Amino acid sequence: MDIFNHLGLFFVGVTIAAIGILGFVIFYNNRKSQTHRAFLFFSIITIIWSVFNYLTSQIIKPDIFLWNVRVVMFLATWHAFLFFHLCFVFPSERVLFPRWYKFALLPITVITSFLALTPLLFTLKDISFNSTETVPGPGMLIFLPLVFFSIIGGLLSLLRKRKKAEGLVRKQFQYILLGSSLTFVLLLVFNFILPAFFLQRDFLPFGAMFLFPFIAFTGFAIVKYNLLNIKAITTELFVLILVILNLLQIILSESTSAMIIGLSTFVLVLIFGLSLIRGVLQEVAQRKKIEQIAKDLAEANEHLRELDKEKSEFVSIASHQLRTPLTAISGYASMLLEGSYGKLSKKTEEAVNRIFQSSGRLVLIIEDFLDITKIEQGRMTYQFTTVDMKGLLRGLIEELEPRAREKNMKLVLKINGQGSFNATADFGKIRQVMSNLIDNAIKYSGVGHIDIALLKDSARGRIRVSVHDTGIGISPQTMEKLFQKFSRAEGVKKIYTEGSGLGLYVAQEMVKAHHGRIWAESEGEGKGSTFHVELLAED
Ligand code: ADP
């Protein structure tokens, strides 16, 4: 083999590998699309045709040569057909094939391709003592028009679709047409003008190289708007480089056995390389899927947030509307109890007292609702000042003492340590939090006393209040969800029906805004509970 042949073989090998990789990659990009499939078929037939076409220049034995030419013609028929097929389906995912396609074009192609294998297309003729030549037969009368119409038909179909296409799809057509023109010019120059007019036939075997522009541009057009990611492209390049190195090794091999080994590694490299690319592509597809799911989820979340906002607004408006009449009910009940409208009989007083208590509780629940909507809408404002926790707790205990006494319980304040117990806090909010905790301790205990311990952790700069009761306790299951909205223990609903399960949630949000901490401890049901609140100490 001379250097020209070596180089030629090398380039044909590289283009064949590149076409194979491209066809495979594009097919895996969307296996269900007819365009992608057509591209793969076209790539495969191009490769097989290129190999046989190349062999034509290497075979000397006349009858093998004849058969090789016939196989080339057989493949060329399918090549032309698949070109038409690709142009016909591009760029759709699904195409319905018309009758003429199924019942005329396809059968004629099948017949012609087999005709190419018979003496009707080519025979061998001795032209001199030891030289023979292939001679075309009458089969050419079918073969040539079929190939001609397939190619022209394909191009016309592209042009027609391009006219109708707009925007990005139009650009895709431009790429394909550019690729076909390049391939067409290359084939015209090297496979027709040079051999026909200048008797330069050395380029004839390199069909693969001339077809490459078409394949490359078409492949690019197919995936252009669905670009594969960098990782996939790098893997493809990596495989291609391996293939090139392997080909170099084959070409430079000095013995037949070295060549055989080279060829076997070439096949292996190609198989492993392709499965590697396939893996990467699958990963890319999976990532795309996950990205899509994440996007859907984000949209759903956004929608939920909208709904939540609307709900908050609704609750806010409804609560405001409820509060005014309730304040009036509670106010008048209070005045009735105070005797502003004359003395009440014992029975009436009891009834009015119930009205007063219930409306009072309802006001608290509505306050919680309003607090929640304010927190969720980010409208809750805090005024931080120095709050004397000792004074705050004393005041609260005084206020809640009567409620405890009703249940025969005692509130005991235990102050651990000397000095001031000042916290940086919003007085009203922290009072609400503490009131809620003490109120809960009263609500969820039957007997005994409630210890309210105040402690200063100077080392950490914290003030801690712990409210300990000997009541119903908290089960581990309830503990998990204790500070969530509307969370109430199962049994609690029977003991204390009016609770809303909002108090602790609001308390937690308020303590969070103070950069503090709130948590609960309980050894289990029936074993009492302790609620702790830690705030920043003021020194
Ligand atoms: P509510 O008291 O209106 O139900 P909270 O948010 O204040 O709402 O409390 C939520 C739930 O936490 C209560 O329903 C109860 O199950 C439990 N819980 C709160 N404080 C105590 C406590 N001191 N002892 C036992 N369980 C409690």
Side-chain angles (χ1 to χ4, degrees):
M1 262 201 251
D2 58 25
I3 185 71
F4 183 78
N5 246 333
H6 271 113
L7 225 69
L9 179 61
F10 173 71
F11 283 123
V12 169
V14 171
T15 16
I16 283 180
I19 291 171
I21 292 169
L22 211 63
F24 186 81
V25 164
I26 284 165
F27 171 64
Y28 264 97
N29 194 239
N30 183 0
R31 269 184 281 181
K32 289 193 193 102
S33 156
Q34 272 176 338
T35 298
H36 291 232
R37 277 191 223 166
F39 187 81
L40 177 72
F41 293 146
F42 186 75
S43 307
I44 292 175
I45 204 85
T46 303
I47 292 173
I48 305 175
W49 173 81
S50 305
V51 171
F52 281 93
N53 187 49
Y54 179 81
L55 288 178
T56 315
S57 64
Q58 307 294 318
I59 296 168
I60 305 157
K61 251 183 123 198
D63 37 346
I64 300 183
F65 176 76
L66 175 68
W67 268 102
N68 198 67
V69 167
R70 284 176 179 170
V71 172
V72 168
M73 298 317 267
F74 171 85
L75 292 167
T77 325
W78 285 107
H79 205 189
F81 169 77
L82 284 172
F83 172 77
F84 176 80
H85 176 76
L86 178 59
C87 298
F88 188 81
V89 295
F90 183 86
S92 314
E93 281 218 6
R94 285 220 72 73
V95 177
L96 282 179
F97 294 102
R99 274 158 175 244
W100 58 260
Y101 184 100
K102 286 191 271 189
F103 301 114
L105 182 66
L106 196 56
I108 292 176
T109 308
V110 173
I111 295 168
T112 314
S113 65
F114 284 100
L115 206 76
L117 296 173
T118 67
L120 281 171
L121 206 62
F122 274 113
T123 43
L124 218 52
K125 193 179 95 182
D126 292 326
I127 45 170
S128 65
F129 173 59
N130 58 358
S131 140
T132 49
E133 208 180 66
T134 44
V135 199
M140 277 292 172
L141 289 177
I142 308 180
F143 176 84
L144 283 179
L146 179 72
V147 169
F148 178 78
F149 283 119
S150 297
I151 292 170
I152 298 295
L155 287 173
L156 283 179
S157 157
L158 282 181
L159 283 171
R160 194 172 48 87
K161 279 189 272 188
R162 177 178 164 262
K163 237 187 202 167
K164 285 197 216 143
E166 279 169 15
L168 296 179
V169 186
R170 201 179 164 84
K171 280 224 175 92
Q172 282 182 303
F173 280 108
Q174 255 135 7
Y175 280 118
I176 259 204
L177 285 167
L178 183 66
S180 352
S181 323
L182 271 173
T183 288
F184 187 69
V185 170
L186 285 171
L187 285 175
L188 196 72
V189 173
F190 291 103
N191 279 26
F192 182 68
I193 299 178
L194 284 183
F197 301 107
F198 300 93
L199 299 178
Q200 168 54 276
R201 309 177 106 189
D202 290 345
F203 296 104
L204 279 181
F206 308 133
M209 284 157 62
F210 308 139
L211 272 152
F212 186 70
F214 171 70
I215 295 207
F217 277 93
T218 311
F220 182 65
I222 292 175
V223 290
K224 170 87 206 288
Y225 304 104
N226 186 12
L227 270 183
L228 301 166
N229 81 346
I230 283 294
K231 198 170 165 193
I233 294 169
T234 356
T235 320
E236 283 143 30
L237 282 178
F238 171 69
V239 173
L240 191 64
I241 289 170
L242 277 184
V243 167
I244 292 174
L245 290 176
N246 212 250
L247 277 168
L248 273 175
Q249 188 203 345
I250 297 174
I251 289 158
L252 299 175
S253 53
E254 286 178 350
S255 66
T256 326
S257 57
M259 195 169 214
I260 290 171
I261 292 172
L263 274 172
S264 335
T265 29
F266 177 77
V267 172
L268 284 178
V269 164
L270 215 58
I271 292 172
F272 286 127
L274 289 183
S275 60
L276 183 69
I277 294 175
R278 196 180 134 188
V280 173
L281 287 176
Q282 271 168 351
E283 194 195 308
V284 171
Q286 243 153 15
R287 198 176 316 149
K288 253 193 211 160
K289 223 189 235 166
I290 291 171
E291 272 167 18
Q292 185 58 40
I293 292 172
K295 218 175 110 202
D296 291 349
L297 207 65
E299 272 169 24
N301 264 342
E302 187 50 40
H303 184 61
L304 278 179
R305 244 190 305 257
E306 278 297 308
L307 282 180
D308 205 46
K309 216 175 114 200
E310 280 169 25
K311 178 219 69 192
S312 294
E313 270 160 26
F314 169 75
V315 172
S316 169
I317 293 166
S319 308
H320 272 294
Q321 301 289 347
L322 284 173
R323 196 160 57 165
T324 327
L326 251 182
T327 320
I329 294 172
S330 158
Y332 279 104
S334 158
M335 286 196 309
L336 276 169
L337 287 175
E338 281 163 11
S340 308
Y341 296 94
K343 186 144 177 51
L344 305 176
S345 72
K346 193 96 193 120
K347 250 180 152 180
T348 323
E349 196 186 317
E350 230 169 65
V352 175
N353 196 24
R354 282 238 178 114
I355 296 176
F356 179 67
Q357 297 288 341
S358 301
S359 56
R361 258 181 246 129
L362 217 57
V363 168
L364 284 182
I365 291 177
I366 288 174
E367 293 292 343
D368 277 347
F369 271 118
L370 281 172
D371 282 342
I372 283 185
T373 50
K374 267 195 210 152
I375 289 167
E376 286 179 351
Q377 293 174 343
R379 289 193 290 113
M380 188 66 104
T381 51
Y382 293 85
Q383 244 118 41
F384 291 102
T385 52
T386 305
V387 175
D388 168 24
M389 291 304 288
K390 219 185 320 181
L392 182 145
L393 289 173
R394 280 196 180 125
L396 253 181
I397 288 173
E398 212 177 291
E399 190 184 307
L400 294 169
E401 192 74 69
R403 286 209 351 95
R405 221 176 298 126
E406 268 173 33
K407 292 180 84 178
N408 279 328
M409 291 168 73
K410 255 185 86 117
L411 302 179
V412 183
L413 179 64
K414 289 184 174 171
I415 298 170
N416 299 309
Q418 304 285 316
S420 65
F421 287 85
N422 289 343
T424 311
D426 178 314
F427 182 84
K429 306 285 189 312
I430 283 307
R431 192 174 193 280
Q432 189 179 333
V433 171
M434 296 320 307
S435 159
N436 196 296
L437 295 185
I438 301 171
D439 188 52
N440 276 351
I442 301 171
K443 266 189 329 200
Y444 301 115
S445 320
V447 281
H449 49 84
I450 291 159
D451 292 332
I452 300 147
L454 184 59
L455 180 115
K456 185 168 178 178
D457 183 348
S458 303
R460 288 173 55 238
R462 298 281 191 283
I463 291 217
R464 185 193 292 184
V465 182
S466 306
V467 181
H468 174 72
D469 65 54
T470 50
I472 60 165
I474 301 163
S475 70
Q477 294 95 297
T478 309
M479 190 64 99
E480 271 175 32
K481 299 182 277 179
L482 198 65
F483 291 94
Q484 286 175 12
K485 247 187 280 182
F486 302 110
S487 157
R488 304 196 73 207
E490 272 305 309
V492 148
K493 288 168 198 156
K494 282 179 223 139
I495 308 174
Y496 190 78
T497 42
E498 283 111 332
S500 61
L502 294 174
L504 286 182
Y505 171 75
V506 172
Q508 186 192 40
E509 292 300 313
M510 285 179 171
V511 172
K512 253 196 240 164
H514 278 76
H515 303 291
R517 213 156 73 86
I518 182 168
W519 73 102
E521 282 166 3
S522 170
E523 305 225 319
E525 269 175 281
K527 300 204 172 141
S529 356
T530 311
F531 282 79
H532 306 275
V533 173
E534 231 175 42
L535 297 168
L536 299 180
E538 184 125 320
D539 34 31

